[in-house]
Amino acid sequence: LPKPSYKRWSLDLLDKITEANQAAVKGQEPYAVERKPDGSLANASIEDYRVVFRSHRESADTYYDKLPALEFLKIDSKFWFGRFISNDHTLSNTVLQGELFHPEGVSFVSGVLNSLPEKAQLIQRRKGPVEYYVWDIQRYKGKDVSNLPYGQRRVLYEEVVRELRDFNPHYRVVDSCNPNGNSRRYYDRIVSDPRGLPYSEGVVVKSRLTNDQGYWEKIKSFDFTDVVVTGFIEAEGDLSGSLGALTVASMDGSKTGNVGSGFSDLQGQWIWNNQSKVLGSVIRAKVLEETQ
């Protein structure tokens, strides 16, 4: 399943969403505003007692044996085992979409997913398991539900996660603003989370009454973008003889700018002394806004 298309919007949208939701009939609020965990997107397919996680990319890499805390639905007692095998609502052939998440951040998750299974398991034994935050569902017990309005899909995947947590506590649902609540206050609480990333990235706005993922809005206090280092600007004053800023360009060369913060004095000195090694490198820059 592909990654949803996000558009980045301004904070003014949140005020309009609050007004629209509060003016709607209860239960018919048009928008959902949800926390956006900063993790790695993955599709989860429930197959009997095992969950198979796959990348959303075209290569569809399978993270088999890399996520033992998530892949197996643990049975902790005869009571729960009997409940699982005797009911008629097995979750086999259910497909979820969500974020593989860890308090250490997205780089930690990437390290797990890009390691061989033995190393991936060892890392998690030391640092704690990767968890799964569900934010959509595509199939429910073999039935395609992708055409349902998002509000109905949320009800379904909340129920799936409730059942999964009977056997495995590492499944969660992304938290959501109360439909009648103030969306901007909710956003402010998210981005000012004292834990910082990966908890404070921002929010996603979804239409509750349609099935279209193509217009989900992503609202963040900042974004990251890949840029190419094209040159170097010397620092002024006491720091002359070291780096003041990098000049950079977008990957297609159509936009240019400077990156003047985010590195220490020691790093700035090293870059200035080793310009030939850095020139042409691709770096990830934190972007607050884009201007002309």
Side-chain angles (χ1 to χ4, degrees):
L1 298 169
K3 185 175 183 177
S5 297
Y6 293 107
K7 296 180 181 179
R8 192 159 179 257
W9 287 78
S10 70
L11 291 178
D12 293 340
L13 177 64
L14 293 173
D15 296 326
K16 296 176 182 177
I17 286 169
T18 298
E19 293 174 6
N21 279 353
Q22 292 179 349
V25 175
K26 187 175 182 180
Q28 292 297 312
E29 293 87 357
Y31 299 105
V33 180
E34 300 174 351
R35 182 193 295 265
K36 186 184 184 304
D38 187 23
S40 182
L41 191 154
N43 304 307
S45 178
I46 301 175
E47 302 173 2
D48 295 324
Y49 301 107
R50 182 164 188 151
V51 184
V52 178
F53 289 87
R54 294 181 176 87
S55 167
H56 67 279
R57 297 178 177 84
E58 290 184 6
S59 61
D61 294 331
T62 300
Y63 306 129
Y64 215 70
D65 289 334
K66 297 183 180 183
L67 304 163
L70 290 169
E71 292 180 60
F72 300 100
L73 302 181
K74 299 176 182 177
I75 309 298
D76 294 326
S77 71
K78 292 182 180 179
F79 170 77
W80 289 119
F81 181 74
R83 176 183 180 275
F84 191 82
I85 65 173
S86 65
N87 61 36
D88 294 327
H89 54 276
T90 174
L91 293 174
S92 291
N93 298 316
T94 294
V95 178
L96 303 168
Q97 288 187 285
E99 211 82 7
L100 292 167
F101 180 89
H102 194 278
E104 293 281 333
V106 65
S107 59
F108 178 89
V109 177
S110 297
V112 168
L113 300 180
N114 290 319
S115 297
L116 293 174
E118 295 78 9
K119 184 175 181 181
Q121 294 174 28
L122 177 62
I123 295 170
Q124 292 171 89
R125 282 198 294 272
R126 291 174 176 170
K127 294 284 190 175
V130 172
E131 297 194 315
Y132 192 55
Y133 280 75
V134 180
W135 43 252
D136 207 353
I137 183 171
Q138 297 299 313
R139 298 189 71 82
Y140 180 63
K141 302 175 185 177
K143 181 179 179 181
D144 183 0
V145 295
S146 60
N147 60 336
L148 293 179
Y150 175 72
Q152 294 182 33
R153 300 203 306 271
R154 168 116 192 173
V155 171
L156 282 177
Y157 73 71
E158 284 179 344
E159 175 59 30
V160 170
V161 172
R162 272 194 295 271
E163 289 201 38
L164 289 173
R165 285 181 63 84
D166 284 343
F167 311 101
N168 189 317
H170 300 298
Y171 286 84
R172 302 178 186 274
V173 172
V174 291
D175 63 274
S176 178
C177 179
N178 186 308
N180 293 119
N182 186 297
S183 299
R184 189 188 281 255
R185 280 195 214 130
Y186 177 79
Y187 166 84
D188 288 340
R189 179 169 65 82
I190 296 296
V191 298
S192 60
D193 192 313
R195 296 171 294 181
L197 288 175
Y199 299 93
S200 61
E201 184 179 13
V203 299
V204 177
V205 178
K206 304 175 182 179
S207 173
R208 297 179 67 250
L209 305 180
T210 72
N211 66 348
D212 191 356
Q213 285 188 352
Y215 296 95
W216 286 4
E217 329 291 5
K218 179 169 59 176
I219 302 178
K220 300 161 60 173
S221 58
F222 60 87
D223 210 342
F224 288 105
T225 185
D226 289 339
V227 293
V228 180
V229 176
T230 58
F232 308 88
I233 300 173
E234 185 176 2
E236 298 178 350
D238 293 341
L239 295 176
S240 62
S242 65
L243 181 71
L246 298 167
T247 62
V248 298
S250 59
M251 297 299 289
D252 63 3
S254 64
K255 302 173 185 176
T256 60
N258 295 341
V259 177
S261 62
F263 38 76
S264 67
D265 292 345
L266 183 62
Q267 290 170 328
Q269 188 65 64
W270 187 92
I271 293 171
W272 186 255
N273 294 339
N274 294 273
Q275 295 182 25
S276 61
K277 297 180 180 179
V278 180
L279 188 66
S281 298
V282 176
I283 64 171
R284 176 154 288 189
K286 186 176 181 181
V287 179
L288 299 178
E289 65 176 327
E290 189 174 289
T291 68
Q292 293 301 317

